[in-house]
Amino acid sequence: MSRFMQARYSELTAYTPGEQPQDRKYIKLNTNESPFPPSEGVFRAITEAEILNLNLYPDPECRVLRSEIASYCSSFCGRDIKPENIFVSNGSDDILSFYFMAFAGANGGVLFPDITYGFYKVYSELYGAEYTEIPLNADLTVSAADYISTHKNTVIANPNAPTGLCISVSDIEDICASNPDNTVLIDEAYVDFGADSCMYLTEKYKNLITAMTYSKSRSMAGARLGFAVADKELIDDLNKIKYSTNPYSIDRLTAIAGAAAMKDSAYYVSNCRRIAATRERIKKELISDGFELTDSKSNFIFVKCPGVSGEDIYRALKERGILVRHFTKDRIKDYVRITVGTDGQMDALTEALHDIRLGAE
Ligand SMILES: *Cc1c(COP(=O)(O)O)cnc(C)c1O
């Protein structure tokens, strides 16, 4: 840190993104991207005329995009979700950042699991929110009871990362109902791969925010687009923060692509089904080959190999041209997190893992 930076950042540890190597071609299973391209509507929407319009600022309110997202959400969750209930920004990381800035430090601070998405802790520290990390159960599930009647804010990824494990929507409802003076943010980045969404509860619980992203199930990680659903008052608060930092956080082309993608939701739903089917097949194959896995409902699996450290699996796979993610936290250091890619990519993976396991015996 230079002598010019504010002293309060000296203790801040930044988030470490997954590798995006440029040196060689890997089978890239480390950052939970989709192996499928964006839908055809997205290709048609990015026209030469829209590129010509790049001299103009985008609509800061993203009216067309929010209206498409609202109609998608209404049919997705069977409630009347209006554009005023939708917040959009530059990836759901950006939404999380605004959430922690606006709410996490208020009324007793914030709780989240000790093993979860790394950004929750980074943002708490960045914005000075008091936070407590609640240990997962021994089986790596989130202990929902620990979040009931705490009178603190709650942030839970459902399914959780990097375990892929879910809590039930009725547990989420109990957390919302028992903490009426605090917010509950449920990060549903992976919900489309087979978990139950709590989005419909945002109508009933004015303290609930559901955050979603285009990065995983909608094949648009490179476009940077996320959205949140909540009561209008919470959305207005998030907009206050957004308009105090960067009202133009979504560029023209991304807004257009995002609106087009929402009209093609059938395509994305079918991709998610394919990924879930591949995930279940690979889980079975690896378990019968002697590996241990969590029951992930996400687009990644969380795997350990008895007798081989997570770090060694990561390295051995990388040598074989397959990139996965390894975390150094004590309770999960024996695991690697592996994105579910195409069937072909996953067959290469199971073969490589099989060799690595045999080589270690
Ligand atoms: C990938 C991910 C995000 C961030 O997604 P972006 O929209 O790409 O910023 C948020 N939460 C969790 C749990 C994730 O895994």
Side-chain angles (χ1 to χ4, degrees):
M1 185 170 122
S2 80
R3 65 199 161 89
F4 303 106
M5 197 182 201
Q6 296 210 26
R8 68 188 175 95
Y9 295 124
S10 63
E11 298 296 305
L12 181 69
T13 309
Y15 177 75
T16 314
E19 302 162 82
Q20 300 292 351
Q22 314 287 328
D23 58 332
R24 65 177 268 199
K25 198 98 184 110
Y26 286 96
I27 295 180
K28 195 171 173 306
L29 305 176
N30 68 329
T31 47
N32 300 340
E33 292 137 330
S34 174
F36 304 117
S39 63
E40 282 178 21
V42 172
F43 283 83
R44 283 195 305 270
I46 306 294
T47 59
E48 211 162 299
E50 296 296 352
I51 294 169
L52 271 172
N53 281 337
L54 282 177
N55 61 318
L56 304 172
Y57 278 103
D59 171 16
E61 291 180 54
C62 298
R63 277 165 288 197
V64 175
L65 174 63
R66 282 170 48 239
S67 142
E68 286 301 336
I69 294 175
S71 51
Y72 163 80
C73 288
S74 299
S75 62
F76 173 74
C77 79
R79 294 290 191 282
D80 184 22
I81 307 283
K82 298 191 171 67
E84 68 187 32
N85 302 120
I86 304 292
F87 178 79
V88 287
S89 207
N90 192 258
S92 58
D93 288 341
D94 210 29
I95 296 174
L96 293 169
S97 166
F98 294 150
Y99 169 83
F100 277 85
M101 220 189 291
F103 303 111
N107 302 330
V110 64
L111 307 176
F112 44 82
D114 63 339
I115 290 163
T116 189
Y117 190 43
F119 249 130
Y120 306 156
K121 185 174 174 174
V122 175
Y123 286 139
S124 297
E125 289 182 346
L126 178 60
Y127 300 126
E130 205 178 301
Y131 66 95
T132 309
E133 296 171 279
I134 308 282
L136 295 183
N137 294 319
D139 62 0
L140 301 181
T141 53
V142 170
S143 172
D146 290 345
Y147 299 86
I148 306 283
S149 301
T150 59
H151 307 293
K152 293 187 189 328
N153 300 291
T154 298
V155 176
I156 293 175
N158 194 42
N160 196 18
T163 61
L165 296 169
C166 298
I167 60 170
S168 71
V169 172
S170 77
D171 282 339
I172 293 170
E173 178 156 17
D174 291 345
I175 295 168
C176 294
S178 67
N179 297 296
D181 298 323
N182 293 92
T183 59
V184 178
L185 183 134
I186 303 298
D187 182 345
E188 296 194 345
Y190 299 108
V191 81
D192 298 316
F193 300 100
D196 293 328
S197 172
C198 68
M199 185 194 285
Y200 73 94
L201 291 176
T202 57
E203 194 183 51
K204 184 168 172 192
Y205 294 96
K206 306 300 178 198
N207 57 339
L208 172 64
I209 304 172
T210 309
M212 294 193 159
T213 175
Y214 280 70
S215 296
K216 316 287 165 53
S217 58
R218 295 179 184 83
S219 301
M220 275 174 50
R224 312 305 304 128
L225 185 55
F227 58 101
V229 183
D231 184 59
K232 180 178 184 297
E233 279 197 26
L234 291 182
I235 299 297
D236 290 349
D237 291 343
L238 289 170
N239 274 316
K240 186 173 191 175
I241 302 284
K242 176 171 158 177
Y243 279 67
S244 305
T245 51
N246 177 11
Y248 301 115
S249 65
I250 297 175
D251 68 83
R252 294 187 77 99
L253 296 182
T254 294
I256 288 163
M262 277 308 174
K263 291 190 188 146
D264 290 339
S265 61
Y267 166 77
Y268 296 106
V269 167
S270 109
N271 286 348
C272 289
R273 288 215 182 99
R274 284 167 74 181
I275 288 167
T278 303
R279 175 192 70 213
E280 293 308 308
R281 173 174 76 83
I282 296 301
K283 268 158 62 176
K284 269 199 212 118
E285 286 182 23
L286 287 175
I287 287 167
S288 64
D289 199 17
F291 291 86
E292 288 176 28
L293 285 85
T294 60
D295 189 19
S296 171
K297 298 290 180 215
S298 185
N299 70 336
F300 54 81
I301 52 174
F302 200 48
V303 188
K304 74 173 171 184
C305 175
V308 191
S309 76
E311 167 124 48
D312 286 346
I313 298 180
Y314 161 82
R315 250 197 254 110
L317 283 172
K318 192 169 180 182
E319 275 163 25
R320 289 167 169 79
I322 301 175
L323 212 50
V324 302
R325 188 97 200 247
H326 173 247
F327 300 91
T328 51
K329 260 200 169 172
D330 215 37
R331 286 178 79 185
I332 53 168
K333 67 181 186 334
D334 289 339
Y335 285 86
V336 287
R337 189 198 69 189
I338 306 175
T339 306
V340 177
T342 61
D343 281 301
Q345 290 176 321
M346 297 318 275
D347 290 339
L349 170 84
T350 50
E351 213 171 290
L353 282 174
H354 183 76
D355 286 351
I356 293 164
R357 190 178 67 74
L358 288 187
E361 275 178 6

